[in-house]
Each structure stands twice: as C-alpha cells, then as structure tokens.
Amino acid sequence: MFKTKPIPPDEHPQPRQILWTSLLVLAAGLPLLRFLDWRINAFLALILAIRVAGLRWPAAVPNRWIRALLTFAGVANCLNAYQTLAGQDGGAALFTTMIALKLLELHSKRDLRLVLVLMGFLIVIQFLFDESFPLTFYLGLVALGIVTLLVELNGGLLGSGLRPALRIAGRLTLHALPLTLVLFVLFPRLHAPLWSLGVDASKGLMGMSDSMEPGNISELVVNGELAFRVRFEGAPPRPDQLYWRGPVLWEMDGRRWTPGRPPPDWQDPAGLIESADPIDYEVVLEPTRQRWLFALDMPVSEPADAAINPDFQLLASQPVNALKRYAVRSALSYRTHEPDPRLRELALRLPENVTPRMRDLVADWRARADSDWDLVRLGLTHFNREAFHYTLLPPALGANPADEFLFETRSGFCEHYASSFALLMRLGGVPARIVLGYLGGEDNDIGGYKIVRQSDAHAWVEVLIAGRGWVRVDPTAAVDPSRIDNRTATRLLGAGASARFDLGDASAIAHWIRNMRLIADTLDATWQNWVLDFSADDQLDLMDRLGLGDFREYGLAALMVLAVSLTLGVVLLAMMRDKGERDPLDAFYARFCQRLARAGLPRHPHEGPGDYGQRIAAARPDLSATVSRFLALYVPARYGARRTGETGIRLARLLRGFNPKARRQHAGSAR
C-alpha cells in the first residue's frame, strides 16, 4: 500500500484561501450558468454548498470514495443533459463540473494553484458563448483576482494579505498590457476558424421566423434582445420610413402565412422602374441562422455575398451564423415592375375558411370604391373608425382567426391587422402579400447609430396597384391612437422600447436607466467594431498604410517580431529603472521611521536599526516597548534567517496602532 507523502506545514492552505478560491470559481463560472442546462447548474450548486459547509464543519467534506461517486454522478449528469461529453455545450458542462469537484480536495496549496490555473481555461470557454465587452471586462477582473491569489499562495509579500498581492498582480498586468496590444494587432490571423467546435448549426436563435400566425410576432415583441444596429452615412430617414424588409409571405392556409411556392420558372427582375431619395447605411446583424438580411424598404444595392430576390428581399449566400456587417443602399421612394400574371393569381388566392360576413363587408367597400386604391383606403378607414384596439395581449383565437378578429374580438397586434387586411384586399380583387421585418429603431445619440431590437418586429401588407406596382400599406398604423393599449405596451416593452407608438413620457429614473443602457450599448458596439471585427484584412490594410503592403503576411510576421522585441525591451528598461521590487521588510521599516520622524525623532543617516532604537528608548521611554517589539521582529528577519510568512503580518499589525505624537515643550523649559 502506498503511503501518502506528508504535506509540509507551510503548504497547508488557510481557510480564507480556500474560501477565496471557491468564490473565484463561482465568479468565473457565473456567466456560463445561463448557457448550461439546469441539471448542470443544480449539480454545481450542490458541490459549492458542500465546499462552503466544509469550511465551517470540516467533517462535511466527503472522503475519496464519496468523491469518486460524485465524479461518476457528475459525468452521468452531463451525459443526461447533453447526450455527449464533447462539443461546445457538453464539453463546457463537463469541464465546469470537474473544476467544481476539484474544490472538494483542496488539501494543499498545490491543489489551490491547480484550480486557479484551470480557471484560466474556464474563462476562455465562456468566449465561445459570449464575446461582449461587459463579459470581457468582468472576466478580466476575475483573472486579476486569480493572479492576486496565486501571488499570495506563492509567498506574496511575506504572507501579509491580499492587498499587497493585489498591488503585485496589478503591476504584472500593466507590464503585460503593451505586449498584449502588440500581439493583438500584429499576430497573423486566419481567414477561417482553426478548428470546429461541433456547434449545432440547426440550433435556432431568438429571432424572426419565415411564417406568421396570430401570436408569434407579439411573443417576439416582448423580447428586448438586439436584432441589429444601423449607422446612416447622412441624416437618418423619418421614423415612418424605417421599415426594415425581411421575408415575404404569399400563401395562407386559413391561419398561417408562409412564403409559398411561386412558379418554378419565375424570373422577374428585382429592379425598380423608378427610385428616388437614395440613402446609404451600414447594418451589423446579430446571428439568426437564416439567410435573410434586413434592409430598409426598398433595397437597390447588395453586398458582395448577397443578392436581392424577386420579392426585393436581401438574401445572403450562406446562413448568418455569426455577427454580419454589410453596407446597403435603399430608395425611400420607388415604383416596382408589374409582376408575372401567375404571381398576381398567387396574390389573390384565398383560404377555404373565408366567411360570408367577410365577403359582405368587402362587397360593400367595392360598391363604394371607384378604384383598387379607393378599396385600400376604405379598408384602412374601417380599422380607424370601428372599435379596433391595439394590444400585445389579444384574446385567443380559434380555427378562423381572421373572421373572429374582424367581427368579435377586434383586439390584436400587427399580425392580426396585417393578416386580416391582406385577406380583405384579396376578397376585393386587389393582390396582396405580407412582409415581415422590423419597424423603427431606438436612437443612440452617444454612439451615433440606431438600435433595432426584437421588440421592433412588425408585419405589414403590400398591395398591387396598377401603374404603381407593389405599394406598402400598414393597417396597424390606421388604429386610432385612443385605442392603443399603452399600459400593456409599457409593461411588456419598457419605456421607449418600440418606435411604433408613443408610450408616454418616461420618469427621470427611467430616463437615466435608458442613458446608461445606451452607453453600455455604445461600448459594446465599439468593442465589436474595433476588437471582434478586427480581421486579417484589417491587418493587411495596416501594412498598406505603413508602406509594407508588398510584403503581405511575411512583412506582418517580421513587423510583429520587431514590435514584440522593442516592447519587451521598453518594459525591461522600465523595470530596471524601478530598481526592482523593494524588500517588503524595508517598506515596513521605512514607514516605522517616517512615523517617528513626524514625532520629532528622525533617524540619522549613519544610524542602524539597533542604534536608532536605543536612542529612541532613551529619549522617549513611553515608546520603548513598541519600538523594541518592532525591531525584535525586523532585525532578525531582515539580516538573519528568521523570516517567516507571519513576519509581515505581525509587523503590519504593530504599525497599525503605532502613531507617536511629538512632546509639547513647556514654557519654562523653553527658556
């Protein structure tokens, strides 16, 4: 049987060091919990609770056999949650579980050092899930805490606590920053990922679908997540022109709208007969796992890796699985081509559940209308004058949602108005289709761009008018403002979350919160623009600006070696000028002498600690005891071999209460 090697006394960790290690593991893994399965989070909480309880009751820490069972349970839990131990989700869950289990066997400082080093990998793993600036800043603070605790575990300032160790960690960080910046800018980058992490491309992200039925857009609207950011080259359009075009829906089965199947040989061009008021802008789109790109109605240019289809929808060549930046030009005023006659027939197709009262309503409009556009205006007037209400919490609808909405509930969100209006137009012989996208956007005056959120999701209708082509009509905007449920919108969306309606003046606190949110979004956008989007093309562009463009990657590598060498040289010179780290005992002695000097007892240049102490004892007997205790600790530790990890703590404790005062001279003695 193997014997366990005894742990040296100075390698036994202190309870506070175990506690700080456990808290750092919790802090490092906390942002990852939102991406892990609840079963993983529950297991991690159990292990952490056992570890914390063990600090108060050591018997609560399990022995090696129970730890082995917990390890098997942790692995089985990961398999149960993800059916794999590989890939982004399964691998992250397994690694986090193993680090948590390691907290149950912190017997020596070596164990603590191992956990702290492994936490570096835990920090890196989280960037596979989120690369935002707030997370990076937060994990940077966690990394600083890890280095601080490592410094203390490896001696620090004679074990005098975390504060001196934090100073050393901060100094190390400042020394590393110049080299980090140089490597970030000049280290050669690849045009494609170095490895595949097995991310499931079929995993859907929160965002818009290519179909519509009552409820799905209103559910999306209560989500305040970012959809995309837009930066205009000139003045932005008016709010009522900010229609961001997405999927186009042609077919309706009585409840659900879908893109349908246009004629297979349909080759209508996506060009416009007329276009005016062009506007240029750049969009930074969040990942959607879909091909469509959102563009202001109506796009007239396309990025290099995208095309405008016959529906005037901008489609990328590949699904958007990562943040995508693209530039577009749109025309705010336009006239489209007349479509293929077969498409006109497709835009008039009706579902089987059209009711007689829907037909009667449209027949009355048609009898009073002199043209198709008159019919459109009568439909909008109907929504405006009748008791239709806008709400994010509409009543549930049955098998025939359009009929129930038009004649019974009369309360709904944009999908209710768009769906019923398109059907009414088709009943009247006016071809109609539905467009999904976003409306409006929140101005970020700090960053100089607009923020379009999922809460700005919207649906509108396009009708085909002779001589004008496809014309955008928004039946939701026809609702009388007095029948808009602002209370529901405010409660679900938050002040200023949607550009469709005025939700009232926000309070001063809400205004302050909004400004803080905009500042945070500006920082995130800047981080995205200057850090996350920094690519190999940007590096080659930098080489061109330096006049080294002909050398390409080889010149970049040579420049990196030169810059790294110069940076290291400057850092080393700065450290040499600093004359190295002063012995911490000398720092305590310097503070000791400074306090005595303020009391009128300065040390002479030729005096050593012993002579200085004797002179102080003779001049001030009231200080003799404290001075003697200090020097009895300092002199053997500084000039002998009696330095221990407790010396600094004891010297600091003595200095904490040592503030001698100068003696007042009496008037008589002054003579």
Side-chain angles (χ1 to χ4, degrees):
M1 218 179 148
F2 295 102
K3 294 184 178 179
T4 303
K5 186 177 179 180
I7 301 174
D10 58 345
E11 275 294 300
H12 282 288
Q14 301 175 13
R16 66 177 181 84
Q17 293 172 335
I18 296 177
L19 175 61
W20 278 109
T21 302
S22 303
L23 292 178
L24 281 174
V25 170
L26 174 62
L30 200 59
L32 187 61
L33 299 183
R34 58 195 169 117
F35 301 105
L36 297 179
D37 188 271
W38 68 270
R39 288 163 286 191
I40 305 298
N41 295 336
F43 186 83
L44 296 176
L46 172 64
I47 299 302
L48 188 63
I50 294 175
R51 175 66 272 175
V52 174
L55 295 174
R56 178 66 178 84
W57 301 284
V61 179
N63 57 36
R64 68 175 61 184
W65 300 109
I66 297 179
R67 291 199 302 269
L69 291 176
L70 287 173
T71 301
F72 284 117
V75 173
N77 189 43
C78 294
L79 285 172
N80 182 43
Y82 296 107
Q83 286 74 52
T84 180
L85 299 178
Q88 180 174 331
D89 294 331
L94 179 64
F95 188 82
T96 308
T97 299
M98 292 299 104
I99 285 188
L101 287 168
K102 181 63 180 174
L103 294 177
L104 300 182
E105 52 176 10
L106 301 180
H107 304 304
S108 67
K109 290 184 179 180
R110 176 183 176 277
D111 295 327
L112 270 66
R113 297 187 192 102
L114 178 61
V115 171
L116 293 172
V117 170
L118 290 176
M119 283 171 60
F121 294 93
L122 180 60
I123 288 176
V124 172
I125 285 175
Q126 303 198 50
F127 291 112
L128 302 178
F129 297 88
D130 186 3
E131 297 177 322
S132 64
F133 173 77
L135 178 68
T136 304
F137 181 77
Y138 171 79
L139 292 179
L141 295 179
V142 174
L144 180 62
I146 293 173
V147 175
T148 299
L149 192 53
L150 281 172
V151 168
E152 192 199 21
L153 289 172
N154 286 281
L157 291 178
L158 300 176
S160 56
L162 290 175
R163 184 178 299 177
L166 179 59
R167 286 198 295 268
I168 293 180
R171 190 175 297 115
L172 291 174
T173 302
L174 292 177
H175 289 163
L177 277 179
L179 184 61
T180 302
L181 293 175
V182 169
L183 291 175
F184 171 78
V185 174
L186 298 178
F187 192 87
R189 295 169 181 262
L190 300 176
H191 291 275
L194 183 61
W195 59 78
S196 174
L197 294 168
V199 180
D200 185 6
S202 65
K203 183 185 293 183
L205 298 180
M206 182 68 73
M208 185 162 292
S209 171
D210 61 350
S211 63
M212 185 190 78
E213 60 183 302
N216 60 350
I217 293 184
S218 57
E219 290 176 358
L220 181 63
V221 163
V222 299
N223 172 22
E225 295 293 327
L226 177 68
F228 53 90
R229 298 184 180 96
V230 185
R231 189 182 298 275
F232 292 96
E233 289 192 6
R238 301 190 312 268
D240 62 338
Q241 295 176 312
L242 294 175
Y243 283 83
W244 304 98
R245 190 180 188 87
V248 178
L249 312 181
W250 290 81
E251 290 191 355
M252 204 265 195
D253 61 5
R255 182 176 182 86
R256 188 166 180 255
W257 286 85
T258 59
R261 296 182 179 179
D265 57 345
W266 178 33
Q267 297 296 330
D268 275 1
L272 302 174
I273 297 176
E274 295 178 1
S275 63
D277 301 329
I279 187 166
D280 295 296
Y281 53 95
E282 183 184 64
V283 178
V284 181
L285 178 66
E286 293 293 306
T288 61
R289 310 277 193 219
Q290 307 291 343
R291 289 181 56 207
W292 55 69
L293 307 178
F294 294 96
L296 202 61
D297 219 358
M298 184 71 77
V300 295
S301 73
E302 53 199 30
D305 58 346
I308 302 175
N309 74 357
D311 282 339
F312 299 96
Q313 181 185 357
L314 195 60
L315 293 175
S317 57
Q318 299 293 331
V320 182
N321 296 326
L323 208 72
K324 184 174 182 62
R325 184 187 302 271
Y326 55 95
V328 191
R329 169 175 288 185
S330 292
L332 300 181
S333 300
Y334 55 87
R335 185 161 63 94
T336 71
H337 289 277
E338 291 285 340
D340 186 299
R342 291 171 297 176
L343 285 178
R344 181 184 181 91
E345 180 183 349
L346 183 62
L348 288 172
R349 192 172 299 171
L350 294 168
E352 297 180 355
N353 60 349
V354 173
T355 60
R357 55 182 176 176
M358 294 173 66
R359 295 182 184 275
D360 293 341
L361 177 64
V362 177
D364 176 64
W365 296 349
R366 177 52 76 184
R368 293 186 286 134
D370 295 329
S371 64
D372 287 349
W373 187 243
D374 284 342
L375 184 70
V376 171
R377 289 189 295 180
L378 286 171
L380 295 176
T381 301
H382 180 73
F383 283 140
N384 179 263
R385 293 182 178 177
E386 298 296 325
F388 284 92
H389 293 77
Y390 173 93
T391 178
L392 296 184
L393 297 175
L397 300 175
N400 196 333
D403 180 83
E404 292 180 42
F405 168 71
L406 286 169
F407 300 102
E408 295 176 17
T409 64
R410 294 194 170 189
S411 295
F413 189 59
C414 64
E415 67 260 39
H416 299 80
Y417 289 93
S419 177
S420 59
F421 186 83
L423 287 179
L424 293 175
M425 291 301 101
R426 290 185 176 189
L427 277 169
V430 179
R433 62 188 184 184
I434 288 181
V435 182
L436 300 181
Y438 297 89
L439 172 58
E442 182 180 9
D443 288 319
N444 187 332
D445 297 328
I446 301 172
Y449 57 86
K450 282 188 178 291
I451 304 170
V452 180
R453 304 183 185 278
Q454 301 295 350
S455 56
D456 295 310
H458 196 50
W460 61 92
V461 178
E462 284 185 335
V463 294
L464 186 61
I465 304 297
R468 299 178 59 182
W470 291 105
V471 178
R472 182 179 66 234
V473 179
D474 190 354
T476 311
V479 180
D480 190 300
S482 65
R483 296 194 296 273
I484 295 173
D485 185 2
N486 274 350
R487 291 175 301 173
T488 301
T490 303
R491 185 172 70 253
L492 295 179
L493 297 177
S498 175
R500 282 183 294 279
F501 302 105
D502 181 10
L503 300 181
D505 295 332
S507 65
I509 295 179
H511 182 72
W512 180 84
I513 293 175
R514 178 179 180 273
N515 287 338
M516 292 299 101
R517 179 165 52 83
L518 292 180
I519 291 174
D521 190 83
T522 301
L523 290 174
D524 197 48
T526 304
W527 175 259
Q528 179 66 47
N529 186 43
W530 292 100
V531 178
L532 300 184
D533 283 354
F534 190 78
S535 63
D537 293 333
D538 294 315
Q539 289 182 320
L540 295 179
D541 181 64
L542 175 63
M543 295 293 292
D544 290 335
R545 295 183 181 182
L546 296 175
L548 303 174
D550 294 337
F551 296 97
R552 308 290 291 177
E553 288 83 358
Y554 299 103
L556 183 66
L559 182 61
M560 181 193 69
V561 173
L562 177 62
V564 167
S565 301
L566 291 175
T567 303
L568 286 176
V570 170
V571 171
L572 288 175
L573 285 175
M575 295 175 66
M576 292 175 62
R577 290 188 62 183
D578 196 33
K579 302 185 183 300
E581 180 71 27
R582 184 167 63 169
D583 191 308
L585 290 178
D586 288 342
F588 289 127
Y589 183 62
R591 290 164 56 191
F592 172 76
C593 295
Q594 289 172 359
R595 296 185 182 184
L596 286 172
R598 288 198 298 265
L601 300 167
R603 183 179 68 86
H604 301 314
H606 63 275
E607 279 185 315
D611 294 337
Y612 186 35
Q614 291 177 4
R615 182 165 65 83
I616 296 299
R620 293 284 299 273
D622 57 309
L623 303 178
S624 176
T626 304
V627 170
S628 298
R629 284 198 300 271
F630 182 90
L631 294 177
L633 285 171
Y634 168 73
V635 173
R638 177 66 179 83
Y639 301 103
R642 292 173 56 184
R643 181 180 301 206
T644 67
E646 296 295 323
T647 304
I649 297 176
R650 296 174 65 184
L651 289 174
R653 189 178 298 123
L654 281 173
L655 285 176
R656 195 173 299 123
F658 185 61
N659 291 293
K661 304 296 182 182
R663 281 184 173 178
R664 294 183 179 179
Q665 293 184 346
H666 297 288
S669 62
R671 299 191 187 97

